[in-house]
Amino acid sequence: MKKKYIIAGNWKMNPQTTEEASRIATTVKKVAIKSKKIDTVVCPPFVYAHLVKTADNFSLGAQNVSLEQSGSFTGEVSADMLKSVGVKYVIVGHAERRKMGETDEIVSQKIGAVVGAGLQVILCVGEKERDQNGDYLAVLKAQIIASLGKLARKDVKQLIVAYEPLWTIGAPVAMTPADVRETGLFIKKVLADTYGQEYALSVRILYGGSVTFKNAKDIVLLGQVDGLLVGRESINTEGFNLILKEIDGI
Ligand code: 13P
């Protein structure tokens, strides 16, 4: 059976009240639980996690995690804590966190923490810019290899890669489906060179960056990705639910 698509909503630091967070979660859940082909993942700020009442096809995700397991790390949240509140997926290495100083080394340690807790990692990778010579491919390759660090072959089943080119995040338009397809294949090739073909093919590749209900279906179908990581449109319930309907209708 084909694996389910993953449509993940990264709420980032939104919304500002529990009332609104609760409204978004319950409105999305109504559509998510009816879908047959999607695992919808809602990734709210930690403080709203308890408002997301998970169900079949409707999972809770986190936007970040500590690389430490427990102890004197003020303000941090461990992978075991996330697991204990029902989190199933953890976004690691988002471009906005890398901008705050998260290095590939830190990302690889966080992946270790998430995998160790038995959760699924959504590893974000993406180039800052595209050049004519294709140097961005080398940048992407180096980033993937360094971020995966010591991830063992046996743990590859807990890996999902979200390709988010930085220049499409919060931008007016997304990447073209043709470019998504080409880069997705490149990412699979890098994974195959690292872990072998069979393992690489089991990794789901998502696309993120200015996804809306208008471009979602083309990106998934023509871009040949296994799902989407949605920013702004994930807190616009009308738009996000339309994405779910479009993808479930594929
Ligand atoms: P936007 O969909 O708002 O461009 O954000 C993408 C993103 O960063 C998802 O993680």
Side-chain angles (χ1 to χ4, degrees):
M1 203 185 86
K2 193 181 183 313
K3 277 195 174 176
K4 285 196 172 174
Y5 292 112
I6 293 178
I7 307 296
N10 175 8
W11 293 7
K12 306 192 178 181
M13 204 167 71
N14 300 296
Q16 299 310 309
T17 65
T18 30
E19 290 76 14
E20 180 58 2
S22 200
R23 187 195 69 77
I24 297 170
T26 47
T27 311
V28 169
K29 180 177 177 177
K30 282 187 193 134
V31 174
I33 54 173
K34 286 193 208 131
S35 77
K36 298 197 170 46
K37 299 185 186 164
I38 307 171
D39 191 11
T40 300
V41 184
V42 168
C43 308
F46 294 141
V47 291
Y48 299 143
H50 66 289
L51 301 171
V52 180
K53 309 294 178 207
T54 59
D56 281 353
N57 307 329
F58 184 65
S59 303
L60 177 62
Q63 299 175 20
N64 186 28
V65 65
S66 173
L67 53 85
E68 304 289 352
Q69 292 190 336
S70 67
S72 308
F73 302 100
T74 303
E76 293 290 282
V77 173
S78 75
D80 281 339
M81 291 174 190
L82 294 178
K83 187 179 183 176
S84 78
V85 297
V87 165
K88 198 165 146 193
Y89 298 87
V90 183
I91 299 172
V92 176
H94 191 280
E96 287 153 12
R97 297 215 56 86
R98 290 181 187 264
K99 211 166 142 191
M100 291 176 218
E102 207 162 282
T103 61
D104 288 337
E105 171 59 26
I106 294 173
V107 170
S108 85
Q109 291 185 41
K110 289 188 171 188
I111 291 175
V114 174
V115 166
L119 303 175
Q120 296 281 313
V121 177
I122 301 179
L123 165 65
C124 296
V125 294
E127 76 280 1
K128 278 204 186 74
E129 56 196 8
R130 287 214 158 188
D131 55 287
Q132 300 289 332
N133 311 325
D135 288 350
Y136 64 90
L137 292 174
V139 170
L140 199 52
K141 180 176 176 179
Q143 191 187 40
I144 294 168
I145 291 172
S147 300
L148 288 177
K150 298 166 207 67
L151 183 79
R153 185 174 279 160
K154 70 172 174 52
D155 297 327
V156 168
K157 56 182 181 307
Q158 284 167 258
L159 176 69
I160 295 156
V161 175
Y163 172 52
E164 297 206 312
L166 272 61
W167 47 278
T168 67
I169 297 176
V173 286
M175 189 183 235
T176 64
D179 283 345
V180 170
R181 179 170 174 272
E182 188 185 281
T183 321
L185 286 172
F186 177 77
I187 292 171
K188 285 210 167 103
K189 168 89 173 67
V190 173
L191 293 173
D193 289 346
T194 313
Y195 295 107
Q197 181 93 343
E198 195 188 326
Y199 286 87
L201 290 178
S202 72
V203 177
R204 277 174 289 185
I205 311 281
L206 315 184
Y207 166 81
S210 300
V211 173
T212 68
F213 72 89
K214 293 187 181 141
N215 59 25
K217 190 171 171 181
D218 276 355
I219 291 173
V220 169
L221 263 186
L222 308 176
Q224 294 184 0
V225 283
D226 308 298
L228 302 163
L229 183 53
V230 184
R232 284 159 295 170
E233 193 86 314
S234 71
I235 46 170
N236 166 22
T237 47
E238 219 173 301
F240 193 72
N241 282 348
L242 279 171
I243 293 178
L244 297 180
K245 286 177 186 163
E246 287 279 323
I247 303 304
D248 205 48
I250 286 178

